[in-house]
Amino acid sequence: MAVDYAVIVLYLAGMLAMGWWGMRRATSKSDFLVAGRRLGPAMYSGTMAAIVLGGASTIGGVGLGYRYGLSGAWMVFTIGLGLLALSVFFSARIARLKVYTVSEMLDLRYGGSAGLISGVVMWAYTLMLAVTSTLAYATIFDVLFGLDRALAIILGGAIVVAYSTLGGMWSITLTDMVQFVVKTIGVLLLLLPIAVIKAGGFAEMKAQLPDDYFAPLGIGGQTVFTYVLIYSFGMLIGQDIWQRVFTARGDRVARLGGTAAGTYCLVYALAGAVIGTAAKVLYPHLGSPDDAFATIVKDALPVGVRGLVLAAALSAVMSTSSGALIACATVAHNDIWARIRGVVRRQSPANDAPHGSDGPHGPDAGPGGAAEPRDEVRGNRVFILLMGLVVIVIALALNNVVEALTVAYNLLVGGLLVPILGGLLWKRGTGAGALASVAVGGLTVVGLMLSLGVLANEPIYYGLLASLVAYVAVSLATRPTDAAVLDAWRARLAGRPDAAGAEPSVASGPSATTSPAGR
């Protein structure tokens, strides 16, 4: 294993080196949080694919293939479908908003009345997503080095926190590109064909396994429907995904690059299911389906290649973990902490140019052009460090990865899907309707998870329905959103300054807006 260990150690050292290099590029808030909004198609599509295809997609996807056969691809397949829908229908408009968080988008759309509560829900989602990714280090480092669970979580978490804190989104973008290449080579080009050959080819696999392993809906139609609700819709509204959309250089990059990343996810989904199916032929009596990935890597691959494929699994976990961590810290700092302090932020395309500066007045210019007294890069860096420590502590205290991930996505989709898509698609939606939707949907999801169990399907079904009813009913029962707010919103969606020619603002709380709807 000496060669394999050397490959892994060199990979981890490279991640830290890229974090240090990225620190030199992150000189403004825009650079640190959204890579200066200047990623081209190749880098954008690679990093987007890296963040959505994490440990659950790699290790879990192979495990589902081991248990259900080719239909085990549906979980990752629905992730790809969600990313395709986001890229084709919404990414261009999202990129033109020139904001940093989903809550800022809600403030723009509804006049500053929904940001804080949505920020809390989004923070809970990104926090639990980061925790589940960090928990996966225990499995991988145990396979690699036989490390104790707690030490593995601390080691893996510390590496991700280190390079994310140093360079923010620039460091994460650079490491994600490496991780994308490693995953492509390790999983698609090496592990997939070797696993099929070792299992005797597709004809032998079909002869050895039940017919259900090759049925499109062998996993169950209701399960597929639940995956669509949780993962496809989750891709449309997650802060970790939107923050990557904000890094695109323009509308075309966001649309085409995201479409390429979504298509890649579909291929990756099928590859994981095929590898898992081959593992079922080779090792029919594993104790857990999630052991399929590590087992086939250890037993079927030659020296050196084995290290590269294990690095691919580590890459998958680290890319999702770092993306969730910076999203969690961005929401905590910009949507919660800043609002509690009553800080009003003003942003515009002019003050967030795609060339790496945050405008003619410097990276942290305020409404009057003077620099804000606080160092935005330093503040966000501190929050990444703090949130990273919180994530590691929670990961040390938890054991059930599936339940933690289910809680995260149920809260996200049940609480925020309706007000976000409603804001983008229905002009009659109001701030009061958005608040009611978040509250009713979130409480319904939590209540049903407590009564029926975290893994039940009903919480997300009824949570979404309750959220939709509350949004429509309260919106129709309250005054329409102020015309000035809607005019500014339409101008931002079109990529223009607002109608008055003033710098479009993002309120940091209900009291910060000047429109009647926000008072």
Side-chain angles (χ1 to χ4, degrees):
M1 291 289 289
V3 175
D4 297 323
Y5 289 159
V7 171
I8 299 297
V9 171
L10 285 173
Y11 170 78
L12 294 176
M15 296 300 98
L16 292 174
M18 289 189 178
W20 181 263
W21 188 80
M23 182 177 66
R24 302 177 63 183
R25 303 198 65 168
T27 58
S28 70
K29 178 180 177 180
S30 177
D31 284 332
F32 192 80
L33 295 183
V34 291
R37 306 190 196 273
R38 57 183 180 185
L39 297 190
M43 186 167 284
Y44 176 85
S45 59
T47 57
M48 182 64 86
I51 187 177
V52 300
L53 296 174
S57 300
T58 303
I59 299 172
V62 171
L64 287 172
Y66 182 89
R67 184 174 179 183
Y68 298 106
L70 299 186
S71 66
W74 272 109
M75 184 187 77
V76 184
F77 204 81
T78 56
I79 291 174
L81 292 178
L83 185 54
L84 284 172
L86 174 71
S87 302
V88 173
F89 299 112
F90 300 109
S91 62
R93 284 184 284 178
I94 292 171
R96 286 195 293 264
L97 290 174
K98 300 296 183 183
V99 295
Y100 293 101
T101 68
V102 174
S103 295
E104 289 179 358
M105 167 264 172
L106 291 174
D107 271 348
L108 282 169
R109 170 60 181 82
Y110 296 113
S113 59
L116 182 58
I117 186 172
S118 65
V120 172
V121 174
M122 188 65 75
W123 175 78
Y125 156 72
T126 53
L127 179 71
M128 294 309 295
L129 185 61
V131 167
T132 57
S133 301
T134 304
L135 282 168
Y137 295 130
T139 300
I140 296 175
F141 278 103
D142 177 56
V143 172
L144 293 177
F145 306 115
L147 293 181
D148 175 74
R149 174 183 179 275
L151 183 59
I153 289 172
I154 293 171
L155 176 60
I159 292 172
V160 171
V161 171
Y163 74 70
S164 301
T165 302
L166 285 173
M169 187 59 81
W170 266 123
S171 293
I172 292 171
T173 296
L174 295 170
T175 55
D176 277 359
M177 276 305 298
V178 174
Q179 289 157 359
F180 170 75
V181 172
V182 170
K183 278 193 290 190
T184 301
I185 295 174
V187 175
L188 297 184
L189 301 184
L190 293 177
L191 183 58
L192 174 61
I194 290 174
V196 172
I197 292 171
K198 289 280 186 181
F202 285 103
E204 182 65 19
M205 290 163 60
K206 196 162 186 179
Q208 292 284 338
L209 297 172
D211 291 340
D212 286 349
Y213 267 71
F214 301 91
L217 294 177
I219 198 171
Q222 186 180 30
T223 299
V224 174
F225 181 65
T226 302
Y227 284 160
V228 171
L229 288 182
I230 294 177
Y231 297 114
S232 295
F233 286 149
M235 289 296 104
L236 297 180
I237 59 175
Q239 169 67 25
D240 51 326
I241 308 302
W242 277 40
Q243 199 157 345
R244 294 309 174 97
V245 175
F246 300 151
T247 66
R249 187 168 59 202
D251 301 356
R252 184 177 175 83
V253 169
R255 186 182 300 110
L256 297 183
T259 301
T263 304
Y264 179 90
C265 290
L266 303 183
V267 175
Y268 200 88
L270 186 58
V274 170
I275 292 168
T277 304
K280 183 66 176 180
V281 173
L282 296 170
Y283 319 102
H285 304 297
L286 291 179
S288 169
D290 286 341
D291 293 337
F293 181 87
T295 303
I296 196 169
V297 168
K298 288 176 67 177
D299 293 350
L301 300 184
V303 173
V305 174
R306 181 171 50 205
L308 182 62
V309 174
L310 288 173
L314 190 59
S315 297
V317 175
M318 295 181 83
S319 58
T320 299
S321 181
S322 58
L325 177 59
I326 193 171
C328 178
T330 302
V331 171
H333 183 247
N334 293 274
D335 290 337
I336 299 175
W337 177 245
R339 293 167 193 271
I340 291 174
R341 294 183 61 186
V343 176
V344 179
R345 278 180 172 70
R346 300 180 63 83
Q347 300 169 357
S348 72
N351 282 350
D352 194 12
H355 299 293
S357 68
D358 275 324
H361 303 296
D364 303 312
E372 292 187 19
R374 295 175 299 106
D375 183 342
E376 289 284 2
V377 173
R378 182 177 61 188
N380 283 286
R381 183 173 281 138
V382 168
F383 265 78
I384 290 179
L385 179 60
L386 291 176
M387 291 299 105
L389 295 175
V390 171
V391 165
I392 291 173
V393 170
I394 295 176
L396 290 171
L398 289 181
N399 287 313
N400 197 315
V401 179
V402 175
E403 288 193 0
L405 189 63
T406 302
V407 169
Y409 272 97
N410 280 353
L411 282 173
L412 174 71
V413 176
L416 292 179
L417 177 69
V418 171
I420 291 173
L421 293 188
L424 288 169
L425 300 173
W426 190 40
K427 67 179 181 180
R428 185 59 179 84
T430 66
L435 285 172
S437 178
V438 174
V440 172
L443 290 174
T444 301
V445 164
V446 171
L448 289 176
M449 283 194 296
L450 290 174
S451 62
L452 301 177
V454 169
L455 299 180
N457 290 325
E458 289 81 2
I460 190 62
Y461 296 165
Y462 293 112
L464 267 176
L465 179 60
S467 179
L468 177 61
V469 171
Y471 181 71
V472 173
V474 175
S475 292
L476 293 176
T478 53
R479 293 179 57 189
T481 304
D482 184 76
V485 172
L486 287 178
D487 287 344
W489 164 253
R490 295 189 190 99
R492 289 292 283 269
L493 280 179
R496 304 189 309 269
D498 60 17
E503 190 180 69
S505 63
V506 177
S508 295
S511 62
T513 183
T514 57
S515 70
R519 291 196 181 110

